[in-house]
Amino acid sequence: MENKLYFYNTLTKKVEQFVPNEDGKVAMYTCGPTVYHFAHIGNLRSYIMEDLLEKTLRYIGYDVKRVMNITDVGHLSSDADTGEDKMLKGAKREHKTVMEIAKFYTDAFFDDCKKLNIKMPDVVEPATNCIPEFIHMIEVLLEKGFAYEAGGNIYFDTSKLKDYYVFSNQSEKELLVGVRDDVDEDENKRNKSDFVLWFTKSKFEDQELKWESPWGLGYPGWHIECSCISMKHLGEYMDIHCGGVDNIFPHHTNEVAQSESYLGHKWCNYWFHVHHLNDKSGKMSKSKGDFLTVSLLESKGYNPVVYRMFCLQSHYRKPLEFSYEVLDNMSAAYDKLVKRIGTLNTDGEVDREKFREYREKFEAALCDDLNSSMAITVLYDMLKADISDATKYALAESFDQVLSLNLTTAHAAKEAGAKVDTELESYVLAKIEERKAAKKEKDFAKADAIRAELLDKGIIIEDTREGVKWKKA
Ligand code: AMP
Ligand code: ZN
């Protein structure tokens, strides 16, 4: 298979040609949401751009298996293993159990994804489903000497690695070594950068969900879940791992440390990271409290798909600032675009040559580090080009497999309207015949009843010299 997709690999810090481990197949993993609150539109920016990557891969012919975890335990308020478990915090806020809020916010997340036309991953696995797998991996890490027990917890020993900071360059590494100076020091850690694999210590006594383990009753750390869940479904070699840039450190750094120490070989070749959606005060985050959701946009009258277009018009490697002004412009552009496609006459022939030419241009834009705004420009150019309407419509339908902007909805609605009209017409004509027969039989009560029935459906009939005429009221 031709490998023509290029995108930025955080591991090598280069835009690279994508070559999967197995020809034609892609093993892809995405860090799922922490389900203690609604996803904000910043989180959803990451999922929209990952969806774009997945659909581009499929469009150019790859067979993709995508796995996502749901974080329903172990993600603490601070990524440096301090503070409360976010799930417990959410449950307390709502006076519910952790499992109740996990279910509620998982459903809410996938509802939002549906509204944004984000494809459901092939596998979705909550962390709480995989406790035996976590325990097994931690046991192996202990056996191999990469982990140690201290104060009841199990820690990963980062000093055992030649290169722990795999995603950072030299100067960043120096900064990161000191990065945790300001958080309350965990006396149990041998090295500042060590992280928890399994918690049992009393500090977290009010933790709601706890499981038996060889080290006592406790619960897993956040990072171990992604290593285990991905391996459970994708095996020991992964092609692409995705997330937002805030996941690079410490989450993905720790995932690599655990996974490769456990496996004894390289784990994932490509790391795809989406930059943040910001508001005026900086990165949009759940903990800041004031965040924008899909439902909020809907309540203000926006079609969620317009937000998808807003994201696709910007590059995944650039921070994006949200503003209602830009969203308003996008909304107007979107309506015009869908209306334009709605006016295309699809009766004619599709020009195969032109179809191939524009499809290639569209693919070339996407394969150039997922240049989605260029791909949308190809769509606009194609609509302006001197080619048949049927070809344009076929191309719009095809591009929408990746863009997922419901581009052909206006057209489909028009066709559905036309179908309703023909169905209505045959119904009215049948009723007129029935009424004629009733009149012939001198059953005027029945004839009147038919007239009333039609009027009820908004149809007025009129007896004229040329026969019975009808119109919509
Ligand atoms: P969380 O639910 O906090 O675990 O985050 C879910 C996903 O959203 C992760 O991939 C994060 O990296 C990503 N994310 C968090 N904040 C933002 C933001 N402001 N913009 C884009 N992605 C984000
Ligand atoms: Zn993860």
Side-chain angles (χ1 to χ4, degrees):
M1 174 167 183
E2 204 188 341
N3 298 305
K4 53 185 175 182
L5 173 64
Y6 285 73
F7 63 87
Y8 184 82
N9 184 358
T10 313
L11 198 59
T12 56
K13 298 208 178 307
K14 278 198 288 259
V15 173
E16 278 189 331
Q17 184 176 22
F18 174 65
V19 183
N21 285 306
E22 200 181 326
D23 200 24
K25 291 203 166 150
V26 184
M28 183 171 175
Y29 183 83
T30 297
C31 290
T34 309
V35 284
Y36 71 109
H37 218 317
F38 290 108
H40 56 64
I41 59 171
N43 302 123
L44 292 160
R45 177 190 191 199
S46 284
Y47 295 111
I48 288 170
M49 302 320 276
E50 292 160 9
D51 183 66
L52 174 78
L53 171 62
E54 178 186 349
K55 286 177 178 163
T56 298
L57 287 160
R58 290 183 191 274
Y59 196 69
I60 61 175
Y62 284 106
D63 177 7
V64 183
K65 181 172 177 187
R66 178 148 174 220
V67 178
M68 183 190 280
N69 68 307
I70 297 290
T71 299
D72 54 1
V73 69
H75 192 172
L76 305 192
S77 297
S78 156
D79 283 353
D81 299 335
T82 57
E84 242 178 330
D85 186 318
K86 291 186 181 188
M87 291 302 296
L88 191 67
K89 204 162 130 186
K92 278 187 191 159
R93 181 187 67 227
E94 300 186 15
H95 307 289
K96 292 199 177 113
T97 66
V98 164
M99 277 313 171
E100 278 167 349
I101 65 154
K103 164 134 192 26
F104 179 81
Y105 288 114
T106 303
D107 291 349
F109 172 72
F110 287 114
D111 281 350
D112 286 346
C113 287
K114 202 165 161 206
K115 288 176 186 164
L116 295 165
N117 290 336
I118 296 169
K119 186 185 166 296
M120 193 75 180
D122 301 290
V123 179
V124 176
E125 178 101 64
T128 49
N129 263 12
C130 301
I131 304 298
E133 284 92 339
F134 304 157
I135 291 175
H136 169 74
M137 188 177 276
I138 298 167
E139 279 180 316
V140 173
L141 289 171
L142 279 163
E143 260 166 49
K144 288 187 160 190
F146 288 107
Y148 58 92
E149 189 169 352
N153 295 333
I154 309 296
Y155 294 87
F156 187 91
D157 187 347
T158 54
S159 70
K160 293 282 156 71
L161 301 181
K162 264 205 246 74
D163 188 11
Y164 164 64
Y165 297 103
V166 286
F167 294 110
S168 318
N169 60 32
Q170 211 41 53
S171 56
E172 285 167 343
K173 276 174 199 171
E174 275 147 27
L175 285 173
L176 286 170
V177 176
V179 86
R180 288 172 185 177
D181 280 349
D182 56 340
V183 298
D184 53 344
E185 204 52 63
D186 180 343
E187 297 290 314
N188 296 315
K189 288 187 185 182
R190 290 184 192 161
N191 314 287
K192 251 185 198 150
S193 51
D194 290 356
F195 55 93
V196 178
L197 297 165
W198 187 268
F199 291 99
T200 60
K201 66 180 176 189
S202 56
K203 183 175 170 192
F204 301 113
E205 208 134 63
D206 60 348
Q207 183 75 4
E208 202 178 296
L209 300 176
K210 292 180 205 169
W211 292 267
E212 277 304 338
S213 79
W215 322 286
L217 203 60
Y219 63 100
W222 171 36
H223 318 295
I224 196 82
E225 67 179 82
C226 290
S227 293
C228 286
I229 293 174
S230 65
M231 279 184 216
K232 180 173 171 187
H233 298 286
L234 298 168
E236 293 190 0
Y237 296 90
M238 214 201 309
D239 294 304
I240 309 175
H241 194 309
C242 317
V245 282
D246 59 319
N247 281 163
I248 298 173
F249 185 82
H251 186 48
H252 290 166
T253 303
N254 292 349
E255 277 187 48
V256 174
Q258 298 160 160
S259 298
E260 298 193 350
S261 303
Y262 169 81
L263 292 169
H265 60 71
K266 189 168 178 190
W267 174 47
C268 178
N269 290 333
Y270 298 87
W271 289 80
F272 177 81
H273 290 110
V274 181
H275 283 251
H276 285 145
L277 179 79
N278 297 319
D279 53 26
K280 295 232 153 44
S281 59
K283 177 192 167 219
M284 197 170 285
S285 76
K286 288 186 206 179
S287 44
K288 260 203 292 193
D290 181 26
F291 58 80
L292 303 177
T293 60
V294 169
S295 318
L296 185 80
L297 294 185
E298 278 184 306
S299 72
K300 290 182 185 283
Y302 294 100
N303 175 351
V305 170
V306 169
Y307 177 65
R308 184 179 173 102
M309 183 155 160
F310 172 85
C311 292
L312 295 184
Q313 283 288 23
S314 121
H315 196 248
Y316 75 94
R317 273 202 291 134
K318 284 196 189 119
L320 176 60
E321 189 171 312
F322 179 79
S323 89
Y324 281 110
E325 210 184 325
V326 181
L327 199 65
D328 285 338
N329 293 338
M330 200 60 69
S331 196
Y334 175 76
D335 288 347
K336 220 169 129 191
L337 177 64
V338 171
K339 223 162 146 188
R340 169 79 188 90
I341 293 166
T343 61
L344 295 173
N345 178 0
T346 53
D347 291 340
E349 281 282 301
V350 174
D351 180 338
R352 289 284 133 205
E353 199 54 40
K354 288 286 170 195
F355 183 91
R356 198 168 321 118
E357 182 188 323
Y358 278 95
R359 187 184 157 125
E360 273 168 18
K361 284 186 187 171
F362 181 73
E363 281 188 11
L366 292 170
C367 289
D368 179 13
D369 197 18
L370 288 173
N371 194 340
S372 45
S373 70
M374 180 52 86
I376 293 176
T377 303
V378 175
L379 168 70
Y380 277 107
D381 286 350
M382 170 284 279
L383 288 171
K384 274 188 275 174
D386 187 18
I387 52 176
S388 74
D389 270 17
T391 312
K392 289 181 183 177
Y393 190 78
L395 281 163
E397 248 182 344
S398 174
F399 295 178
D400 215 27
Q401 288 171 36
V402 181
L403 301 177
S404 300
L405 292 171
N406 301 339
L407 291 176
T408 55
T409 42
H411 200 278
K414 212 172 71 182
E415 294 208 323
K419 186 163 167 266
V420 168
D421 280 352
T422 39
E423 274 170 13
L424 182 71
E425 185 169 13
S426 42
Y427 162 79
V428 174
L429 293 179
K431 283 287 161 193
I432 289 175
E433 283 311 307
E434 212 182 301
R435 182 167 165 270
K436 239 195 247 170
K439 275 168 86 174
K440 214 167 155 190
E441 299 285 316
K442 303 218 177 314
D443 188 349
F444 297 109
K446 188 172 175 190
D448 284 348
I450 291 171
R451 180 194 283 276
E453 187 187 330
L454 285 168
L455 191 62
D456 232 26
K457 297 215 153 54
I459 304 295
I460 298 171
I461 52 171
E462 212 182 322
D463 295 305
T464 73
R465 275 184 212 203
E466 293 88 45
V468 184
K469 295 222 165 122
W470 68 276
K471 61 179 183 195
K472 285 191 197 168

